[in-house]
Amino acid sequence: MNTNSFGSKLAGGIKKFLWMAAIPVILFVIFWVATPGFGPNSILVILNQSMIPMAIGYGMCFLMKAGMMELSAGAQIILIGIVGVQFSKTFGMPGFIIGCIVTGVLTGLLKGAVFALLRIPSMVISLGMCLILEVIGRWIAGGKGKMDLDKSLGFIGKVPYNFVIIAILGILFLLIFYNTAFGSHVRAIGNNEVVAKSLGIKPIKVKFLCYTVCGFFFGFAAILQVCYSNTIAAKMSMGSLPMVFKPMMGVLIGIELNRIYDNFLVNILVGELGMAIIFNGLMAAGLPTTIQDFVTGFFLLFVMLISANRESAGDAIRRIKLRRQAAKQEG
Amino acid sequence: MSDEKKLLFQAKNMYKSFGPTKALVDVSLDVYAGEVVGLIGENGSGKSTLTTIIARIQKGDQEEMYLEGQPYSPPDVIAATAEGICMVTQEQATFEDLSVAANIFIGEEKQFATGPVVNNAQMKKAAKKALENIGVTHINVSTLAGKLVFEDRKLVEIARAVYADPKILIIDETSTTLGKRGRDILYSVINSIRDSGRAVIFISHDIDEIMEVCDRISILRDGHKVAEMEKKDFTSLGIKRQMVGREIEDNFYRNDYDGSFSDEVALRARNLALGCLRDISFDLHKGEILGVGGLADCGMHDLGRILFGLDKPDLGSVETGYGKRIKKNTDAIKNDFAYISKNRDQEALFSVMSIRDNICIASLNKLANGLGLISNKKEKDLVNTWTNELQIKMDNMNQFVMYLSGGNKQKVAVAKWLGFHADVFILDCPTRGIDVGVKAAIYQLLSELKAQGKAIIMISEELPEVIGMSDRILIIKDGLISGEFPRNPDLKESDLINYMI
């Protein structure tokens, strides 16, 4: 019989949420104490810098939870941004926003269609599509290989509007991931595709939709990316790959944290915020990029270590207590 | 008797092949309203193939089916469920990252949706009702399925199938994964479906269970239907004879009753405590088969994991006969311990690896030469020896394990450790999902291992097996050893049950 009262379940949920919220807070305090140039003034910068990875991370989460690898996100976002800026030249703000979102969905559909048709591993698809999308972006961007957004339009992706966009995306993510059949099917396929198939779920269709939904989120990510510096530059020869790693690390951290707290929205937010705090903290400390990368990699491994061994650590503590009690009784 | 009943479902001239293997050859099956039809046959005889085609998990090469007189050929599982045929498969079919509620309604979320948005509260309420419908009240519908024990996950699958209100429920080798409470729930579900004028197709290797539960049986052998029997004609020997196509002794357990074994200790467990287990101590001797029995949730399956070093006990220790502590599974393997989990698919096999890889994986160090290179010939010899010994039905040794029938998968798991030549065998439900012919072969092997001086712990929920094979029996109740019984020809199941419940 379920003896948990609503109150105790709520308290348990709040406790877990507070554990999650403590991660960025602790990181912030560590850098605040250790780095003179880092403090409350950095909060806005950190939040601002977390918005783009967060938008990408929410999109990537669908693919990664369905067991797929996504390395073409950077190329896709650059292409979306370039098309959006192109549209803004004719249609102004509506052209920019709608252009980005529609291009996001269309490129998502394209990647999904390639996956559904070829049925080859997502890693191969993502590398192939990375090259193809980069070339298309470069081709649309033309001679200089970069496109500038009219400065009067850039405000939409800046504080405070970027926070509003992320809040809307977060709500959409929650709705789609936890309150739709599609969201359940994504998690089911990531868990056991064979069983999912035997229960009538169509993995190819779900993965196709994953690419599409992911493209929708990338549309918003592209809006934020272009507005961040009012410009977007095409990349070639997989130059867009580095754009993928930061949000991907945030999602990986989020997936690991999900063992403790089943809420991907919060977990990805914590993961991306954590990454932004570390980057900014290290930058404030004046450390070279190599050390920044080293510490970031270390942080990722540390979170994975804590998350993966949380139960073992709890068991070990319990075991030590029990053995002490038993020894006392024998004594 | 059947002629007076309403024909509910009919499958005619069913054919299915997997490469050169003919899984079904011209098989027909009639199912009448208000009956439980048993499907029985050796591993790889075609039972699961036939029922998965009926449930539309796969399609037949040639098929003709009718449900209530109408042609029946739904395109997929969801359509089959909508037409009234559901299946509980023998494999684990819940998703650990989804809540119990989401697992019950996977693929059926639309009924709680407004547009694309699913009302989770409504779904949880319905899931609670679905579980209560089959008499399950101890499972929290918000819990992630991954946090449930094996039996409870199976009960979730049963609730999922029953909630669809099927005209025909197919139950494939499910009872072996359930303890007493789970089986009682399953039988009550079966009875309620039969009593309401619908039907159940029931697959089990347990002949006594089949005889108890079913009104009629169809017997398959090598993809052919070889016999049909009405309940009045059921005899254990007759069924076995039809299944394997030869005479099988009714009692295929050990005939000796001296229960002797060496004084030399092979494994020493002292004061083990973890979870519900409290203060478990015993010695396992060379040449001994030590049976461990009890209810499914008494802790005996956890004991197997502790003995092999997979779980650390809160208190107590496991040692080899010469005093070497077993702290983790690598210690166990170094000391030639072997372990077969009850949870075959998750813990005993690599489904997307070949039969060859699965059998050789534990023995790779033994197969390697001085340079660490593994001899291809030695690998093949090892695989050939044990696939022949256990009569594993396969296309070739490079076939993926996921394509084998449930029983043949279990044989591969057994072959892995037999090929390893372990000295101490910890076998948790070693004959789960194995047909009577292979069961006899496994029992014979256990006797041979005993004769070679190997020490064997056989954890089992099947009391006849425990009584029939063990030199000594430990019964566990509520985490404690509640009874110890030496081998004795007069020992009855009822003697043990008194100590279990």
Side-chain angles (χ1 to χ4, degrees):
Chain A
M1 201 176 71
N2 178 14
T3 52
N4 282 352
S5 68
F6 176 74
S8 64
K9 273 196 273 184
L10 186 69
I14 291 172
K15 197 174 153 191
K16 283 179 182 171
F17 173 80
L18 290 177
W19 269 108
M20 292 299 105
I23 294 173
V25 171
I26 291 169
L27 277 173
F28 183 84
V29 171
I30 290 171
F31 279 103
W32 188 6
V33 172
T35 315
F38 190 85
N41 291 339
S42 313
I43 291 175
L44 192 62
V45 179
I46 290 165
L47 287 173
N48 198 19
Q49 285 185 0
S50 306
M51 296 300 113
I52 299 170
M54 235 176 261
I56 301 174
Y58 287 143
M60 284 176 88
C61 184
F62 288 96
L63 287 165
M64 289 170 73
K65 273 308 285 175
M68 291 189 289
M69 180 55 92
E70 168 59 299
L71 295 173
S72 60
Q76 190 176 354
I77 288 163
I78 289 170
L79 172 62
I80 296 166
I82 288 169
V83 174
V85 173
Q86 191 72 34
F87 272 92
S88 73
K89 288 179 178 167
T90 314
F91 302 107
M93 181 64 89
F96 176 54
I97 293 173
I98 295 168
C100 282
I101 296 170
V102 171
T103 311
V105 173
L106 287 176
T107 47
L109 281 169
L110 175 70
K111 282 162 72 175
V114 172
F115 175 79
L117 282 172
L118 303 183
R119 301 192 182 196
I120 51 179
S122 57
M123 167 73 107
V124 181
I125 298 263
S126 72
L127 288 174
M129 289 309 291
C130 178
L131 289 167
I132 292 169
L133 296 176
E134 277 183 353
V135 172
I136 297 173
R138 181 71 177 79
W139 175 64
I140 296 174
K144 286 194 288 183
K146 87 180 204 127
M147 296 192 78
D148 299 323
L149 182 70
D150 189 303
K151 280 181 184 164
S152 65
L153 302 181
F155 75 93
I156 193 72
K158 293 191 171 75
V159 180
Y161 299 101
N162 54 350
F163 296 154
V164 175
I165 289 175
I166 285 298
I168 293 169
L169 285 184
I171 292 165
L172 280 173
F173 174 83
L174 263 188
L175 262 180
I176 300 171
F177 204 76
Y178 287 105
N179 287 76
T180 64
F182 164 69
S184 288
H185 295 179
V186 169
R187 282 176 286 156
I189 286 170
N191 225 222
N192 191 333
E193 188 166 331
V194 177
V195 172
K197 218 171 165 181
S198 76
L199 287 167
I201 296 170
K202 297 183 170 72
I204 298 290
K205 185 181 161 191
V206 173
K207 288 178 181 179
F208 174 83
L209 277 174
C210 278
Y211 278 111
T212 312
V213 171
C214 183
F216 173 78
F217 279 87
F218 285 179
F220 287 93
I223 292 173
L224 299 177
Q225 180 72 46
V226 172
C227 293
Y228 191 76
S229 53
N230 286 335
T231 187
I232 185 99
K235 306 269 185 195
M236 292 294 285
S237 308
M238 293 197 177
S240 62
L241 271 183
M243 278 177 75
V244 180
F245 295 129
K246 206 167 147 191
M248 187 185 276
M249 282 163 81
V251 178
L252 280 174
I253 291 169
I255 288 173
E256 278 305 309
L257 292 177
N258 209 59
R259 291 164 185 248
I260 302 167
Y261 183 49
D262 182 25
N263 188 322
F264 276 100
L265 177 80
V266 173
N267 297 341
I268 292 172
L269 190 143
V270 167
E272 303 296 1
L273 267 180
M275 299 300 296
I277 291 169
I278 290 174
F279 269 108
N280 280 279
L282 294 174
M283 214 178 286
L287 291 175
T289 321
T290 45
I291 300 292
Q292 286 180 33
D293 287 349
F294 177 84
V295 176
T296 309
F298 184 79
F299 173 69
L300 177 73
L301 294 178
F302 181 72
V303 171
M304 299 281 185
L305 176 84
I306 297 289
S307 165
N309 293 288
R310 192 179 64 98
E311 282 179 13
S312 309
D315 285 346
I317 292 165
R318 199 189 65 247
R319 209 174 296 127
I320 289 165
K321 280 182 185 170
L322 279 168
R323 285 182 188 239
R324 276 186 190 156
Q325 275 175 10
K328 266 186 194 171
Q329 281 170 4
E330 276 176 19
Chain B
M1 188 179 82
S2 301
D3 295 339
E4 298 158 14
K5 289 183 175 176
K6 180 186 154 202
L7 185 61
L8 187 60
F9 175 84
Q10 200 175 20
K12 288 162 100 175
N13 315 115
M14 309 285 283
Y15 286 83
K16 179 76 182 176
S17 297
F18 299 101
T21 308
K22 289 186 169 30
L24 286 181
V25 182
D26 197 21
V27 171
S28 297
L29 178 74
D30 292 344
V31 180
Y32 293 89
E35 73 168 0
V36 180
V37 183
L39 271 184
I40 191 161
E42 287 191 277
N43 299 129
S45 60
K47 309 177 298 287
S48 296
T49 307
L50 176 63
T51 45
T52 48
I53 290 172
I54 295 171
R56 306 316 274 166
I57 292 170
Q58 59 177 330
K59 288 180 182 169
D61 298 337
Q62 185 184 319
E63 53 182 37
E64 188 181 347
M65 294 184 281
Y66 299 92
L67 180 64
E68 294 181 313
Q70 299 300 312
Y72 168 85
S73 184
D76 55 31
V77 178
I78 290 180
T81 305
E83 291 205 29
I85 297 188
C86 289
M87 180 167 181
V88 180
T89 58
Q90 59 178 307
E91 318 301 351
Q92 185 83 263
T94 46
F95 305 99
E96 48 190 51
D97 283 351
L98 296 186
S99 69
V100 168
N103 265 290
I104 290 176
F105 295 107
I106 188 85
E108 301 288 338
E109 299 89 347
K110 273 184 189 163
Q111 56 188 301
F112 308 105
T114 311
V117 179
V118 174
N119 184 332
N120 283 332
Q122 221 176 65
M123 188 198 269
K124 283 177 187 172
K125 210 170 149 186
K128 196 164 179 276
K129 202 176 148 201
L131 286 169
E132 283 169 0
N133 275 348
I134 63 163
V136 175
T137 53
H138 65 282
I139 298 176
N140 183 344
V141 295
S142 302
T143 307
L144 294 181
K147 293 187 176 168
L148 300 182
V149 296
F150 194 82
E151 173 171 295
D152 285 347
R153 289 178 74 165
K154 213 70 205 168
L155 292 175
V156 169
E157 289 173 42
I158 294 169
R160 174 166 65 204
V162 172
Y163 191 81
D165 202 17
K167 292 170 189 159
I168 295 175
L169 177 63
I170 301 166
I171 299 168
D172 184 2
E173 198 60 50
T174 298
S175 44
T176 47
T177 61
L178 301 174
K180 188 181 179 307
R181 177 176 61 181
R183 284 188 188 211
D184 287 345
I185 289 169
L186 180 68
Y187 297 149
S188 127
V189 165
I190 290 172
N191 289 336
S192 123
I193 290 178
R194 171 172 41 200
D195 296 347
S196 64
R198 293 170 288 156
V200 175
I201 300 175
F202 187 74
I203 300 176
S204 172
H205 283 302
D206 184 337
I207 293 173
D208 292 335
E209 184 185 38
I210 282 270
M211 288 169 58
E212 177 72 29
V213 172
C214 302
D215 303 307
R216 197 163 56 84
I217 54 169
S218 282
I219 303 172
L220 300 181
R221 192 196 314 149
D222 296 330
H224 296 77
K225 188 162 92 176
V226 291
E228 266 194 1
M229 283 186 193
E230 295 287 344
K231 195 171 191 99
K232 62 181 169 51
D233 302 322
F234 288 174
T235 64
S236 176
L237 270 176
I239 294 172
K240 285 176 194 166
R241 192 183 305 123
Q242 292 288 356
M243 275 174 68
V244 297
R246 62 181 190 278
E247 291 293 336
I248 286 230
E249 282 181 46
D250 194 27
N251 181 7
F252 42 54
Y253 303 122
R254 289 167 57 192
N255 295 319
D256 62 292
Y257 281 98
D258 70 344
S260 63
F261 44 81
S262 162
D263 289 336
E264 206 178 330
V265 174
L267 180 153
R268 195 170 278 121
R270 286 290 175 273
N271 311 108
L272 294 176
L274 179 68
C276 73
L277 284 178
R278 292 174 286 157
D279 204 20
I280 301 280
S281 297
F282 61 87
D283 288 342
L284 172 70
H285 301 84
K286 291 189 175 174
E288 180 184 18
I289 301 178
L290 176 64
V292 179
L295 297 178
D297 54 1
C298 71
M300 61 181 180
H301 302 299
D302 300 326
L303 178 63
R305 293 178 58 83
I306 294 172
L307 295 176
F308 193 62
L310 286 168
D311 289 338
K312 262 189 189 169
D314 285 339
L315 294 172
S317 62
V318 180
E319 289 178 4
T320 63
Y322 47 92
K324 173 98 179 143
R325 275 287 281 273
I326 303 295
K327 290 182 177 172
K328 47 188 188 290
N329 61 326
T330 45
D331 297 337
I333 292 169
K334 271 182 205 160
N335 286 283
D336 289 331
F337 280 32
Y339 169 69
I340 294 182
S341 164
K342 179 190 178 191
N343 193 353
R344 180 181 65 212
D345 292 305
Q346 271 71 41
E347 295 175 21
L349 288 170
F350 302 99
S351 293
V352 284
M353 280 170 72
S354 67
I355 295 161
R356 172 180 167 157
D357 289 340
N358 270 277
I359 292 177
C360 293
I361 192 93
S363 310
L364 290 177
N365 286 338
K366 295 180 181 179
L367 293 171
N369 62 19
L371 295 171
L373 298 174
I374 293 157
S375 154
N376 205 24
K377 185 180 176 301
K378 277 186 188 173
E379 253 192 319
K380 281 183 180 171
D381 288 347
L382 179 81
V383 177
N384 281 329
T385 303
W386 292 106
T387 50
N388 290 335
E389 186 78 31
L390 295 178
Q391 299 167 23
I392 297 174
K393 285 181 184 164
M394 57 184 190
D395 289 343
N396 57 65
M397 66 170 70
N398 293 318
Q399 187 180 7
F400 278 2
V401 164
M402 64 191 282
Y403 296 119
L404 296 180
S405 68
N408 279 303
K409 283 181 186 170
Q410 183 76 329
K411 289 187 209 172
V412 171
V414 174
K416 172 178 68 182
W417 290 117
L418 292 174
F420 177 68
H421 297 300
D423 287 330
V424 177
F425 286 82
I426 302 158
L427 309 175
D428 192 353
C429 301
T431 59
R432 181 171 83 83
I434 282 187
D435 66 61
V436 64
V438 184
K439 255 187 186 181
I442 297 254
Y443 295 143
Q444 180 59 34
L445 270 168
L446 292 183
S447 298
E448 284 168 19
L449 292 171
K450 171 185 161 60
Q452 290 166 23
K454 310 282 187 191
I456 300 156
I457 291 185
M458 186 177 67
I459 300 165
S460 177
E461 290 165 21
E462 293 184 35
L463 290 182
E465 172 176 273
V466 175
I467 294 170
M469 290 304 298
S470 308
D471 293 306
R472 196 160 51 105
I473 299 168
L474 299 178
I475 296 296
I476 297 182
K477 181 188 167 192
D478 297 334
L480 286 166
I481 295 176
S482 58
E484 182 173 337
F485 303 84
R487 185 162 182 79
N488 177 351
D490 299 325
L491 193 61
K492 302 274 180 304
E493 283 184 57
S494 54
D495 300 330
L496 304 187
I497 288 171
N498 288 334
Y499 287 84
M500 287 166 56
I501 301 171

